[in-house]
Amino acid sequence: MVGTLLVQLPGAYYEGGALEISAGDGSKTKVLDGYKLGKKWQLPDPTKLRIAAFFCDIDHEVLKVDEGIRLTVAFILRIKNITPELPSGSVNRVVLPCLTPSAQETALAAKFVEFCKDKSFLPETLDPPTFLAFPCFHLYTNQQVFPSHEDTAEVPLTKAQVAKLKGKDAILGKAVLSAAEKTGGCVEIYLQPMVGHEYSSVDDGGNGDYLTPQFPKYCKVRRMDDEDIASHFDSIGHFDEAFDPIWVIDQELGHKPGNAGYTWWSATGYYGNEAGDVNFYVKSFLRVEFEPYTKRKKMMQGNKENYVPGSKRKIGISATSQPKKIQICKPGRYDPTRYSVSRGCSP
């Protein structure tokens, strides 16, 4: 399978119901949207068909149909398994088929189980905590993923929370839960929101983006310094100080940062010539955490049937941890079968 072709049947009149396709840069495109504009129906030409095609690794979603009936036919696009005749002297190329979402989930789960059994992979507890990091491809709301005050970034996601994830995020979440059930809870997945502004990164002289227990509310406070920002967003630490992640996928391939407000900011609390306007943005990532090997070994030998996803205690984030350099992988095609078990990026 390499993609999907959607054909909208003529004679179906509806309002809403657009197909929203997400690009790798975070932008979204809407196609096959309804015909009704206001109170008038914009009737389509019955002799013409509207179509949409996209690769199988593209995140997409059909939005709510507000009125009418939406009729489409979906075709699975495959590459025929043949060996093409290449011109003499040409370089042979192998076209790898895209994995279906269920196949990606299975491959990821098997890799996570392999990590759990590998005594050389994260053999002991590290400070700051080290884990596999995946940027979220979708931006969520608290109502979706953190519906109660007990649901925070400090506790693992449950099955109900993972069910709210979309696209590649959902594939990763389901794969971790599957691996956890097979290993007695040796691996867990967390969703971590964070807030930043133009000068919060370490490269710009800041302490790093602010880690928040839930997705932040829109901020419109008149004046704020660094301590005010941390207090306002209930920060549980700074990204570059609290964590030492292994980025499996480049952060820049994640969702487009969301708008989290603005303020008149000063690093020192003096609002004279040193202060200026800043805009807050919200980003998020999924972190996959593993128990140290000695504990993983005991858990895998124990009773796996008693494991309940999301039942672990809150993790500890050290606010006094020293910053460590974060290793970032180069942008590339999303391939869940190519993760390396060594400390570092995928090949």
Side-chain angles (χ1 to χ4, degrees), residues 106-162:
T106 301
L108 271 174
K111 184 61 66 173
F112 291 144
V113 172
E114 179 184 330
F115 287 169
C116 291
K117 295 179 180 179
D118 187 354
K119 62 181 180 181
S120 65
F121 178 75
L122 299 180
E124 58 186 16
T125 302
L126 301 176
D127 185 21
T130 299
F131 49 82
L132 301 183
F134 299 76
C136 287
F137 288 87
H138 295 269
L139 184 60
Y140 302 96
T141 65
N142 288 330
Q143 185 177 3
Q144 291 174 312
V145 292
F146 298 132
S148 70
H149 294 295
E150 290 75 22
D151 298 320
T152 69
E154 298 178 272
V155 293
L157 296 179
T158 63
K159 284 186 177 180
Q161 290 172 294
V162 169

Side-chain angles (χ1 to χ4, degrees), residues 21-27 58 137 168 251-256:
I21 300 175
S22 301
D25 59 359
S27 62
I58 297 296
F137 288 87
K168 295 183 179 67
Q251 297 181 75
E252 299 302 323
L253 297 179
H255 66 77
K256 184 178 180 180

Side-chain angles (χ1 to χ4, degrees), residues 239-258:
F239 176 80
D240 295 271
E241 296 178 351
F243 295 145
D244 185 22
I246 303 171
W247 284 102
V248 180
I249 302 175
D250 195 328
Q251 297 181 75
E252 299 302 323
L253 297 179
H255 66 77
K256 184 178 180 180

Side-chain angles (χ1 to χ4, degrees), residues 14-79:
Y14 59 94
E15 182 178 9
L19 173 66
E20 187 176 75
I21 300 175
S22 301
D25 59 359
S27 62
K28 295 183 178 181
T29 302
K30 293 182 180 180
V31 296
L32 303 184
D33 49 340
Y35 296 97
K36 190 173 182 181
L37 299 175
K39 297 182 179 181
K40 295 182 179 181
W41 288 99
Q42 304 294 320
L43 301 182
D45 185 344
T47 64
K48 296 182 179 180
L49 296 178
R50 294 202 299 174
I51 64 174
F54 46 88
F55 290 108
C56 60
D57 59 349
I58 297 296
D59 287 339
H60 59 281
E61 178 183 8
V62 177
L63 303 182
K64 179 182 178 182
V65 176
D66 299 317
E67 184 179 352
I69 300 176
R70 182 184 190 274
L71 296 176
T72 59
V73 178
F75 296 89
I76 296 177
L77 304 179
R78 302 180 186 275
I79 295 180

